[in-house]
Every structure is written in structure tokens, then in C-alpha cells.
Amino acid sequence: MQTLGNIFENEDNVFLKLPHYFKPLQAINAVILAVCIGSTASGDNGILWFTLIVQLIISAAATVIFALRIQDELMESISNGSIAWNVVELVYSFILAVLSVISVWLSFSFANRSLFGTSAGYIAAGVFFIVQTIFYAVPCTVIYREVQTTSDTERQNIVIEPAHPFRSNAYQDL
């Protein structure tokens, strides 16, 4: 039987690595956001619900995919290996971070507009959308830096030789 310390020190645990431990936090924060937006009881917050539902679905799906460790096989079957999972994660993290920033602005705007009802739900939603923005922006920047570092090292390994007139192999066919 493994102790708690051995479980956390296990190198195979995907959720304890930097960009991936945000996945369960994104899903948990989305549930908290659902409570906040649901407490507003207003019909004007459709874009907030849309952003929340998209974030919840994508975060839950990414968490399940990583828990089952099928992300590489999934990307191999979908794109025939031409697109890496990191690129997909970078794109959806960026898009959802932008949607979260828009939702922060809308939440605080709705809180300012609600004169007859309580604005506590909108204020709480705005605060938790700020947290959600951080939960999507940090993995986006981490993955972007990893992709940049990988592409820089691949470029450094390319050797380009200058053309030499006395070379035995011609560099250009005429």
C-alpha cells in the first residue's frame, strides 16, 4: 500500500506537473462560478452562462482525458499525429482565458447595473472569473514557453553549410 507521500512523489502522477494541475482546479472553479451566476436570478447573463458551460465541459473533458492518459492516442487518431496535445491545450487555454476576461468585465458591469436586486452574485462571479482567468492564463504561458524552447533547440540543431565552389557534390542541379 502506498503512503500519501509516495503518491505525491510519484513521477507518473500527471496532475502534479505544472500546467496540468490547473485542470481539476478549472473544473472546480467552474462549479463555484455556476453557483455564483445562478444566485443572480437574472436573464441578462447569457454570455456568462455560455462561457461557464464551455469552460466546464472543456475542463472536465481535459481532466478525464489526462486521468485516463489517452491524450496522445486521441491526438494521433484525430490529427494523424500532425498536431500535438500541447498545441490544442495552448489554443483552448488562450480562448477560454480571453472569454474569462470578457466575463469579468461583464460581471462587474452587471453588478453595477443591478439597482433593484442584489449584486453580490455578480461580484462573486467577477472575482471567481478573475481566478478562472489565472487558471487558464498560467498554463497557456507555460505551454507557450515550452513550445518556444523546443522549437529553439530544434533550430539550433540544424546545420547549414555554405555553398563551396570546389565541393564534390553540387548544391544545385542545372
Side-chain angles (χ1 to χ4, degrees), residues 67-112:
L68 297 175
R69 299 175 189 232
I70 58 171
Q71 69 271 10
D72 294 329
E73 293 87 13
L74 181 69
M75 291 312 298
E76 180 70 31
S77 67
I78 291 174
S79 69
N80 203 15
S82 63
I83 299 174
W85 175 258
N86 283 346
V87 174
V88 172
E89 190 172 2
L90 176 73
V91 169
Y92 85 73
S93 293
F94 178 76
I95 291 171
L96 293 179
V98 170
L99 283 175
S100 292
V101 168
I102 293 169
S103 295
V104 167
W105 175 65
L106 286 174
S107 294
F108 288 127
S109 295
F110 289 153
N112 192 25

Side-chain angles (χ1 to χ4, degrees), residues 43-65:
D44 296 337
N45 51 13
I47 188 70
L48 297 178
W49 279 112
F50 171 76
T51 303
L52 173 69
I53 291 170
V54 167
Q55 288 178 350
L56 185 61
I57 290 171
I58 290 177
S59 296
T63 304
V64 168
I65 288 170

Side-chain angles (χ1 to χ4, degrees), residues 14-30 59-60 62-63 89 92-93 131-143:
V14 159
F15 294 113
L16 295 179
K17 296 179 182 169
L18 183 59
H20 306 302
Y21 64 76
F22 284 101
K23 286 176 184 44
L25 294 175
Q26 293 163 354
I28 292 169
N29 195 41
S59 296
T63 304
E89 190 172 2
Y92 85 73
S93 293
V131 173
Q132 193 78 333
T133 303
I134 293 168
F135 284 165
Y136 282 110
V138 170
C140 187
T141 57
V142 169
I143 292 169

